[in-house]
């Protein structure tokens, strides 16, 4: 029981309102302290432990969502990260459907984030996996967009709704009057393909203003909130 889910609010920068959250895993190691997923998930994937860990995660997230106090009119969307290994080697369809049912969560409130690399190894297979997620009613976002090997030839065929601008691009924005062509290009791709857009790793007002000025108004990052345990997240929602 040393794994814990943290939640990082996603903000509509135009209104300042919290419209969702991304779930991020942390390992409370008794000796080494808080360990980030980038450090331990590669080993979980190698050993196959990613399957039981992901199943635990899906159940935990749905249970936690029941505590968010959904004010019916504006239910928050939860983004969760699924590993390609988990999509390939598990009954994710049944696991997710069961968890959604058990905790009475509408699938429209869930967005699954996958990295674009899932789409290159075997695009046809990836399309099938994503379709299955679509059949559940959950939406799909491409995480870390622009850092991997997205094939523009395939992107428009993937059944996805959202792309996330990777924090490495956001962090290049140092001056709100500057020119950041890669960020502009990603914004333009999202428009062209009619996809929602979320910017990750927003740390400064200049970054937030630049993104907003160029048409990206959903953001997450330290400027707004750090990822936090469930209790803290519920407090933020109620404050
Ligand atoms: O791209 P991905 O979703 O895997 O990255 C999420 C990670 O980035 C999380 O571990 C989270 O703690 C971290 N993170 C979230 N917001 C910020 C931010 O504003 N700045 C930085 N440097 N890291 C962030
Ligand atoms: Mn993510």
């Amino acid at each position: 029981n040393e794994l814990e889910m943290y939640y990082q609010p996603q903000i509509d920068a135009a209104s300042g309102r919290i419209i969702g959250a991304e779930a991020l895993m942390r390992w409370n190691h008794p000796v080494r302290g808080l360990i980030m997923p980038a450090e331990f998930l590669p080993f979980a994937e190698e050993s196959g432990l990613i399957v039981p860990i992901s199943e635990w995660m899906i159940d935990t997230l749905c249970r936690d969502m029941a505590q968010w106090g959904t004010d019916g009119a504006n239910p928050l969307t939860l983004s969760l990260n699924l590993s390609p290994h988990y999509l390939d080697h598990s009954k994710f369809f049944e696991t997710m459907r069961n968890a959604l049912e058990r905790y009475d969560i509408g699938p429209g409130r869930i967005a699954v984030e996958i990295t674009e690399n899932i789409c290159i190894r075997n695009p046809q297979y990836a399309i099938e996996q994503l379709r299955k997620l679509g059949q559940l009613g959950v939406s799909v976002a491409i995480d870390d967009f622009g850092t991997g090997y997205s094939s523009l030839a395939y992107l428009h065929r993937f059944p996805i709704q959202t792309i996330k601008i990777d924090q490495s691009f956001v962090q290049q924005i140092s001056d709100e009057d500057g020119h950041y062509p890669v960020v502009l290009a990603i914004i333009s791709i999202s428009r062209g393909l009619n996809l929602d857009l979320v910017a990750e790793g927003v740390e400064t007002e200049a970054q937030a203003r630049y993104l907003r000025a160029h048409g990206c108004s959903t953001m997450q990052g330290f400027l707004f909130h750090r990822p936090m345990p469930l209790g803290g997240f519920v407090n933020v929602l109620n404050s």
Side-chain angles (χ1 to χ4, degrees):
N1 290 317
E2 290 170 6
L3 294 179
E4 183 176 6
M5 296 312 300
Y6 275 44
Y7 297 94
Q8 183 175 41
Q10 296 177 329
I11 309 293
D12 171 38
S15 67
R17 290 215 346 245
I18 296 177
I19 56 172
E22 177 174 1
L24 296 157
M25 195 177 286
R26 299 290 184 259
W27 179 1
N28 296 300
H29 192 283
V31 177
R32 294 173 55 194
L34 198 66
I35 307 184
M36 306 299 265
E39 227 181 305
F40 64 88
L41 286 184
F43 300 102
E45 303 207 337
E46 220 169 88
S47 65
L49 271 175
I50 192 71
V51 173
I53 288 176
S54 302
E55 281 170 354
W56 169 85
M57 178 185 81
I58 289 168
D59 195 77
T60 303
L61 295 179
C62 290
R63 196 184 57 209
D64 285 359
M65 280 179 92
Q67 291 193 36
W68 288 4
T70 40
D71 85 52
N74 294 304
L76 304 184
T77 305
L78 179 70
S79 297
L80 55 99
N81 297 279
L82 288 186
S83 129
H85 187 280
Y86 178 66
L87 291 179
D88 287 353
H89 298 281
S90 78
K91 302 187 186 133
F92 71 86
F93 189 88
E94 286 79 9
T95 302
M96 289 207 69
R97 194 182 48 197
N98 290 342
L100 293 170
E101 255 170 33
R102 184 170 324 128
Y103 298 103
D104 195 22
I105 311 267
R109 295 179 57 203
I110 303 275
V112 169
E113 297 187 7
I114 51 156
T115 63
E116 58 192 340
N117 294 336
I118 187 187
C119 308
I120 50 151
R121 285 168 312 162
N122 185 343
Q124 204 50 52
Y125 182 66
I127 289 173
E128 274 166 40
Q129 304 292 77
L130 299 185
R131 280 237 173 83
K132 282 213 246 167
L133 287 168
Q135 279 162 19
L136 274 176
V138 308
S139 67
V140 178
I142 302 279
D143 206 357
D144 308 331
F145 185 80
T147 62
Y149 300 92
S150 256
S151 154
L152 293 178
Y154 272 105
L155 193 60
H156 73 282
R157 293 183 40 203
F158 286 120
I160 59 172
Q161 287 72 40
T162 305
I163 56 185
K164 295 189 81 173
I165 307 181
D166 187 64
Q167 44 184 283
S168 61
F169 301 124
V170 171
Q171 278 151 27
Q172 285 165 17
I173 304 171
S174 53
D175 170 6
E176 67 176 288
D177 300 316
H179 181 61
Y180 303 96
V182 177
V183 173
L184 298 181
I186 294 174
I187 292 173
S188 164
I189 287 172
S190 79
R191 284 224 187 93
L193 296 175
N194 201 17
L195 298 171
D196 293 332
L197 192 60
V198 179
E200 283 195 318
V202 180
E203 294 182 348
T204 68
E205 291 287 356
Q207 291 163 358
R209 280 197 291 263
Y210 184 87
L211 289 161
R212 253 194 84 182
H214 292 92
C216 173
S217 69
T218 307
M219 303 181 197
Q220 61 183 99
F222 295 170
L223 175 64
F224 306 100
H225 295 282
R226 289 181 175 260
M228 59 193 117
L230 176 65
F233 180 59
V234 170
N235 286 341
V236 166
L237 288 181
N238 293 333
S239 65

